[in-house]
Amino acid sequence: MAGLCQMLLCKSVLRHSLTLTFSVLLSCCCPALGKKKLYIGALFPMSGGWPGGQACLPSAQMALDLVNKRTDILPDYELELIHYDSMCDPGEATKLLYDLLYTEPIKIVLMPGCSSVSTLVAEAARMWNLIVLSYGSSSPALSNRQRFPTFFRTHPSATLHNPTRVQLFQKWKWTKIATIQQTTEVFTSTLDDLEERVKEAGIEISVRQSFLTDPAVAVKNLKRQDARIIVGLFYETEARKVFCEVYKDKLYGKKYVWFLIGWYADNWFKIKDPSINCTVEQMTEAVEGHVTTEIVMLNPETVRGASNLTSQEFLAQLMSKLGGKNPEETGGFQEAPLAYDAVWALALALNKTVRPLKAKGHRLEDFNYNNRDITAEIYRAMNTSSFEGVSGHVVFDAQGSRMAWTLIEQLQGGSYKKIGYYDSTKGNLSWYGNDKWIGLEPPADQTMVIEEFRYLSQKLFVSVSVFAGLGILLGVICLTFNIYNSNVRYIQNSQPYLNNMTAVGCMMALAAVFPLGIDGLHVHRRKFPVVCQFRLWLLGLGFSLAYGSMFTKIWWVHTVFTKKDEKKDKRKHLEPWKLYATVGVLLCIDVLSLMIWQIVDPLHVTVEKFTREAPKGDLDVLIQPLLEHCSSEKMNTWLGVVYGYKGLLLLLGIFLAYETKSISTEKINDHRAVGMAIYNVAVLCMITAPVTMILSSQQDASFAFASLAIVFSVYITLVVLFVPKMRRLITRGEWQSDAQETMKTGSSTNNNDEEKSRQLERENKELQKIIQEKEERVSELRNQLSERQALRSRRRASTVTNQTHSPPSIVIPHSDSRSLAPPPGYPVSTSESNPAPPSFANSSSLYQPDSKISRNNCHTSRLQLLYK
């Protein structure tokens, strides 16, 4: 091939130099000889494998006649067609190409037909700087710009089916396809192109099978790989073999879609074929519903294009040109519109080059096989061609191939039905039947998985929300009552400001029930993190205020009234600011911890996937249950910290409530009710927290446990703390008398009364200590007195006995004066014969063995008498 091109090129140089000299002399001597001719060298296969020239040649001549008559297209030129019969044979085409190149006149463009001939001509044409425009070549190999740099064609490439297929895949949201092909060059190159296109579209070819003669194994592999959307590339005879195996393996029906080539005969599946063992009925059942794509070669719309003819008018003129021949017996009748538009594309491109060439000092008639500038201008003009022709919109892609419409058909009830068109030039997909899949529902490329979010039961949410709303109303009532009666002494002694905090915290906790029940059904997913924040902050701060204020009361009651006496006196005076400071510390700890959490690891929406479920019925779908959660990257760590801290507070609250259950104080007169509320809140929280974590995947149960625990805790707290106060003030009317007294005396009177009360308590305690000490001393003296009286009685008895028996006189030694001395504080005896001093006898009546000194009988003079 290279030797042939060099030989032709050498001969053409000498001949074209002489031709150029002759043309210059002719133009100088005869400047006004009329229109200049531009010659087109064409090869029309009038016989052979594809006798397309039988209809394409008359069609091209029709176009030339119209172009030459137009005054707005190449007004100074006339196009003339020089053509030969290539017989669709590359060998014959080589000989004819030599004649075209080395026979006068010079041809400005070559127009071959038939893919094998076009391949030969297009590969050699670049050596002569010739543009090649084909009207009947569909081989995908001709789309190689490096091999065929000056090639264009109005016949679309066989790969034009692929953009249509990709559009259909995307329309029906198929992401996985399978292919089966016959191992020939044309189908292999087509499939390679399809693979590149689906990859760009994000579609996967999950299974790729091929066969040479027997497709049985390939079809079984498709079945084994669960292929659903299948593209088949094979000739008609192999198509019958494939679908016989398809019937045997049950690879057809609602779950499957087959895409085939559209140029088979309409009844290809009904033709008896000895190579298959399937009946016509079985074949008809297997092929039902398959889709075909076929290139549109005649514009389906009634549009007047560049030639000012509609497609139907063109057909009428062509039939007249053919002299009444049967179109089905005329070779190339379907491709005739392509040959017609090829001439028009060439004429419009040449017309577009006149001005640019004139600006550069060139003319079309100056073209020779060595002039690359004119070839480059014609190439640019062809590459930018865009007009309406009788075959549709004419435009070329980057490889010089025609971009045309594709007809989409579906086999329904044994016959093909048009379901749509695809215009590859504009990317438009138009449909019959209101843009619906005709006859069948489009299946899935695999077992369809439908994602289904699980949402909270609306009845449950509404029911709990009603209770929460009523609880908030109760909290407002309690708060209003407490504020209105804050001047009442009984309310003051219950620390009303702490009670207000409790009521506010309860209402905040109840308000958290509403965001707990809000999910993706009510809020868009992008705004769902805001709901998560509301849940966390309302519940956290509500707990801190409500439980923190109750914990503060019980803490200070325990601190003040369970210490030893010497320490208790120092701390018995309870200052309110310390209570508020304690609540503030607990609240600050919560706020700080929540802020750190949200800054370091903010909450976001996560989706939990469950096991896929198969719905009832014969449906090729699976349900994928999904559930939205508020979560963060280290959710378990944060929950562990929060639950640990809150759990310790709850346990400590239970302990303090138990320790102070028997204490009675006027400073915090409702601490027993607070203790009861702490018991209930602690128990409910300790049960609910782990249960909700276990049931987190069950949205209804988790919400029910969490929300009802909040509701019950709040109701119990409000009822236990506030209802007794309301009942007492209403039944006793204390709010009236105390309020009036407070209004009269003012705040100073309250302060004086409190100071007096504290002073009396201190004095009473001192007197209690003194009385206890005196009673201990009196008991000691009574014991001593009893011992002395017993001793004297024994001495008298022994004296009487001695006198009766007249014993000799015995000298009794003097006793120790200290042993007979009276108790301290009593006068000394004046006579030994007196058993007891008178003063002691008189005073002994005050201290009988069973008597005690009472507080009322304690007189100062008596105390001095006892301890002088």
Side-chain angles (χ1 to χ4, degrees):
M1 184 65 189
L4 174 64
C5 294
Q6 292 176 357
M7 180 183 66
L8 295 176
L9 182 61
C10 293
K11 292 183 178 180
S12 64
V13 170
L14 178 61
R15 181 174 296 181
H16 293 158
S17 60
L18 297 174
T19 304
L20 179 61
T21 304
F22 177 76
S23 300
V24 171
L25 293 173
L26 183 63
S27 61
C28 294
C29 298
C30 308
L33 292 179
K35 289 187 177 183
K36 306 173 190 64
K37 288 189 176 183
L38 300 176
Y39 297 95
I40 303 171
L43 297 176
F44 287 96
M46 308 304 290
S47 58
W50 178 70
Q54 296 176 6
C56 290
L57 178 57
S59 177
Q61 291 172 340
M62 289 170 52
L64 281 175
D65 292 341
L66 287 177
V67 168
N68 290 329
K69 292 178 182 179
R70 293 278 289 267
T71 59
D72 58 335
I73 300 175
L74 298 174
D76 298 329
Y77 299 94
E78 179 181 351
L79 297 178
E80 184 174 330
L81 190 65
I82 300 175
H83 61 88
Y84 298 103
D85 179 12
S86 67
M87 297 183 293
C88 200
D89 181 8
E92 181 68 17
T94 302
K95 174 180 175 296
L96 297 175
L97 177 63
Y98 180 88
D99 292 339
L100 286 173
L101 292 176
Y102 293 102
T103 303
E104 294 295 342
I106 293 177
K107 286 74 179 178
I108 197 168
V109 173
L110 298 178
M111 287 184 60
C114 192
S115 294
S116 57
V117 173
S118 296
T119 301
L120 170 70
V121 174
E123 195 167 17
R126 61 179 176 177
M127 305 298 295
W128 282 268
N129 299 312
L130 281 168
I131 299 295
V132 179
L133 178 59
S134 176
Y135 55 88
S137 305
S138 63
S139 174
L142 290 168
S143 296
N144 189 340
R145 261 286 176 250
Q146 293 180 349
R147 185 180 176 188
F148 311 107
T150 62
F151 179 76
F152 294 89
R153 55 180 165 181
T154 56
H155 192 297
S157 169
T159 59
L160 189 63
H161 298 270
N162 292 334
T164 306
R165 292 166 180 151
V166 173
Q167 283 292 323
L168 294 176
F169 299 156
Q170 292 178 326
K171 174 179 175 54
W172 289 312
K173 297 178 178 157
W174 293 329
T175 57
K176 293 175 64 177
I177 65 170
T179 62
I180 179 172
Q181 65 157 110
Q182 184 180 357
T183 52
T184 60
E185 191 277 333
V186 62
F187 297 130
T188 300
S189 58
T190 302
L191 187 55
D192 291 341
D193 177 77
L194 176 62
E195 188 171 6
E196 293 180 3
R197 291 179 184 273
V198 296
K199 186 176 181 180
E200 293 176 359
I203 300 172
E204 175 190 1
I205 298 181
S206 59
V207 185
R208 183 169 178 171
Q209 296 293 318
S210 61
F211 65 94
L212 183 61
T213 57
D214 186 5
V217 176
V219 173
K220 289 184 183 296
N221 289 337
L222 291 176
K223 179 70 174 181
R224 188 181 301 112
Q225 297 294 329
D226 193 27
R228 302 297 182 88
I229 311 302
I230 308 168
V231 177
L233 300 174
F234 29 72
Y235 289 113
E236 182 177 320
T237 55
E238 278 67 27
R240 285 190 284 269
K241 297 178 183 179
V242 169
F243 276 88
C244 184
E245 298 299 328
V246 166
Y247 177 81
K248 295 176 183 178
D249 291 322
K250 303 299 179 184
L251 201 62
Y252 65 94
K254 294 181 179 179
K255 296 181 181 180
Y256 305 96
V257 176
W258 282 84
F259 284 84
L260 303 181
I261 301 171
W263 39 259
Y264 299 163
D266 288 348
N267 62 343
W268 64 271
F269 54 92
K270 296 180 180 179
I271 298 175
K272 291 184 179 182
D273 191 337
S275 63
I276 63 174
N277 56 357
C278 294
T279 64
V280 173
E281 291 75 15
Q282 291 173 341
M283 290 291 292
T284 303
E285 182 180 351
V287 300
E288 180 66 22
H290 77 265
V291 178
T292 65
T293 54
E294 184 177 0
I295 295 172
V296 177
M297 299 183 184
L298 189 66
N299 196 339
E301 299 179 355
T302 306
V303 178
R304 294 186 181 275
S307 64
N308 200 27
L309 291 178
T310 66
S311 57
Q312 297 303 318
E313 291 173 348
F314 162 75
L315 286 179
Q317 292 185 14
L318 178 61
M319 291 297 293
S320 176
K321 186 83 171 176
L322 292 175
K325 292 182 180 180
N326 186 358
E328 295 181 0
E329 297 178 356
T330 304
F333 185 82
Q334 289 184 342
E335 290 79 8
L338 303 179
Y340 185 85
D341 286 342
V343 174
W344 276 98
L346 176 60
L348 294 173
L350 293 176
N351 186 63
K352 192 185 297 184
T353 62
V354 173
R355 288 186 180 180
L357 288 176
K358 186 177 181 180
K360 295 179 181 179
H362 296 294
R363 297 174 300 176
L364 284 173
E365 62 268 26
D366 297 338
F367 174 79
N368 60 64
Y369 299 144
N370 296 318
N371 196 325
R372 294 186 177 183
D373 293 337
I374 297 177
T375 302
E377 286 298 332
I378 298 174
Y379 178 88
R380 279 193 288 269
M382 288 291 297
N383 205 35
T384 58
S385 295
S386 178
F387 65 94
E388 291 295 332
V390 295
S391 62
H393 189 72
V394 178
V395 67
F396 303 104
D397 61 16
Q399 286 74 38
S401 296
R402 166 77 179 277
M403 299 175 66
W405 284 37
T406 306
L407 172 64
I408 306 167
E409 294 182 320
Q410 185 187 24
L411 188 68
Q412 301 175 20
S415 61
Y416 287 99
K417 306 290 183 182
K418 294 180 180 179
I419 63 173
Y421 288 95
Y422 177 67
D423 183 1
S424 59
T425 61
K426 300 178 181 178
N428 292 334
L429 193 61
S430 56
W431 291 90
Y432 296 96
N434 296 325
D435 193 20
K436 292 183 179 179
W437 180 275
I438 306 298
L440 298 172
E441 289 296 326
D445 54 358
Q446 55 187 333
T447 299
M448 184 179 296
V449 178
I450 301 177
E451 294 184 346
E452 185 178 89
F453 280 91
R454 290 179 175 178
Y455 295 121
L456 181 66
S457 171
Q458 295 306 296
K459 291 183 179 179
L460 176 61
F461 178 55
V462 172
S463 301
V464 176
S465 298
V466 171
F467 282 102
L470 293 176
I472 293 175
L473 180 60
L474 177 60
V476 172
I477 294 173
C478 295
L479 180 63
T480 305
F481 163 81
N482 208 56
I483 294 174
Y484 181 75
N485 295 286
S486 59
N487 292 328
V488 178
R489 183 174 303 169
Y490 179 73
I491 301 297
Q492 287 179 343
N493 290 338
S494 67
Q495 299 299 326
Y497 292 108
L498 292 182
N499 290 338
N500 293 343
M501 295 180 189
T502 302
V504 173
C506 288
M507 289 188 288
M508 292 179 67
L510 285 175
V513 170
F514 300 103
L516 278 175
I518 295 177
D519 49 26
L521 185 64
H522 308 91
V523 178
H524 193 275
R525 189 172 179 181
R526 290 179 298 179
K527 299 180 181 178
F528 201 76
V530 178
V531 177
C532 297
Q533 299 291 340
F534 271 103
R535 292 179 181 179
L536 183 63
W537 285 89
L538 285 176
L539 196 55
L541 298 183
F543 180 87
S544 297
L545 281 175
Y547 183 79
S549 57
M550 295 191 295
F551 177 82
T552 299
K553 285 186 180 183
I554 212 72
W555 167 269
W556 281 101
V557 170
H558 181 273
T559 301
V560 173
F561 295 100
T562 60
K563 297 295 182 179
K564 294 183 178 180
D565 294 338
E566 61 273 13
K567 295 181 180 180
K568 187 192 304 181
D569 293 338
K570 297 179 182 179
R571 304 184 64 177
K572 193 170 182 180
H573 179 54
L574 185 61
E575 299 180 2
W577 70 268
K578 295 181 179 179
L579 301 176
Y580 309 146
T582 304
V583 178
V585 169
L586 296 176
L587 188 62
C588 288
I589 292 174
D590 269 358
V591 172
L592 185 61
S593 61
L594 292 178
M595 288 181 63
I596 294 175
W597 183 355
Q598 297 313 302
I599 293 174
V600 175
D601 190 13
L603 290 174
H604 59 273
V605 181
T606 58
V607 178
E608 180 183 2
K609 294 184 177 181
F610 298 92
T611 304
R612 294 176 179 178
E613 303 171 354
K616 296 180 180 180
D618 187 16
L619 299 175
D620 189 29
V621 297
L622 289 176
I623 303 298
Q624 174 68 73
L626 303 175
L627 183 61
E628 295 174 326
H629 292 287
C630 292
S631 183
S632 57
E633 297 298 330
K634 298 181 179 179
M635 187 70 172
N636 292 332
T637 302
W638 294 109
L639 288 179
V641 172
V642 173
Y643 285 171
Y645 165 63
K646 302 290 186 182
L648 290 176
L649 281 182
L650 292 172
L651 292 176
L652 184 57
I654 293 175
F655 170 76
L656 295 177
Y658 177 79
E659 287 289 310
T660 59
K661 67 180 185 301
S662 60
I663 294 176
S664 177
T665 174
E666 292 295 330
K667 292 301 178 182
I668 303 178
N669 57 19
D670 61 349
H671 74 280
R672 288 192 179 91
V674 170
M676 186 180 298
I678 287 177
Y679 289 145
N680 288 279
V681 171
V683 171
L684 286 172
C685 290
M686 290 181 178
I687 293 175
T688 303
V691 169
T692 52
M693 292 184 67
I694 295 172
L695 299 177
S696 61
S697 297
Q698 303 178 27
Q699 69 279 10
D700 290 346
S702 177
F703 173 75
F705 265 93
S707 58
L708 292 179
I710 295 172
V711 170
F712 287 151
S713 299
V714 169
Y715 271 81
I716 292 172
T717 301
L718 294 177
V719 170
V720 168
L721 288 184
F722 293 97
V723 171
K725 296 180 178 64
M726 295 180 184
R727 181 174 176 274
R728 173 165 176 165
L729 266 62
I730 292 174
T731 56
R732 299 187 182 184
E734 292 185 4
W735 78 90
Q736 295 178 356
S737 58
D738 287 351
Q740 292 174 358
E741 182 180 354
T742 303
M743 291 297 294
K744 293 178 181 179
T745 58
S747 59
S748 60
T749 304
N750 292 333
N751 295 333
N752 293 333
D753 290 344
E754 291 180 0
E755 184 63 28
K756 290 179 180 179
S757 177
R758 287 194 293 271
Q759 183 176 358
L760 290 174
E761 287 180 358
R762 288 195 295 270
E763 293 177 355
N764 187 30
K765 184 58 184 178
E766 293 175 357
L767 290 175
Q768 287 179 354
K769 289 183 179 179
I770 294 173
I771 291 172
Q772 185 176 1
E773 293 174 357
K774 300 303 182 184
E775 288 179 349
E776 292 176 355
R777 182 59 181 166
V778 168
S779 177
E780 182 181 353
L781 291 175
R782 286 175 180 167
N783 291 335
Q784 292 180 5
L785 180 60
S786 298
E787 291 175 358
R788 292 194 178 193
Q789 287 179 348
L791 180 60
R792 288 178 179 174
S793 296
R794 287 195 298 273
R795 286 180 178 178
R796 289 175 184 167
S798 64
T799 302
V800 173
T801 303
N802 292 335
Q803 290 178 357
T804 303
H805 295 282
S806 299
S809 61
I810 299 173
V811 180
I812 301 175
H814 294 283
S815 302
D816 188 0
S817 60
R818 288 178 297 178
S819 63
L820 299 177
Y826 293 88
V828 181
S829 168
T830 57
S831 176
E832 292 181 359
S833 61
N834 295 329
S839 60
F840 184 80
N842 294 333
S843 61
S844 63
S845 60
L846 297 173
Y847 306 100
Q848 299 300 324
D850 296 332
S851 65
K852 293 183 180 179
I853 300 176
S854 64
R855 298 177 185 177
N856 296 331
N857 294 331
C858 185
H859 195 273
T860 306
S861 62
R862 295 179 181 176
L863 294 175
Q864 292 176 354
L865 177 62
L866 289 173
Y867 297 97
K868 184 177 294 185

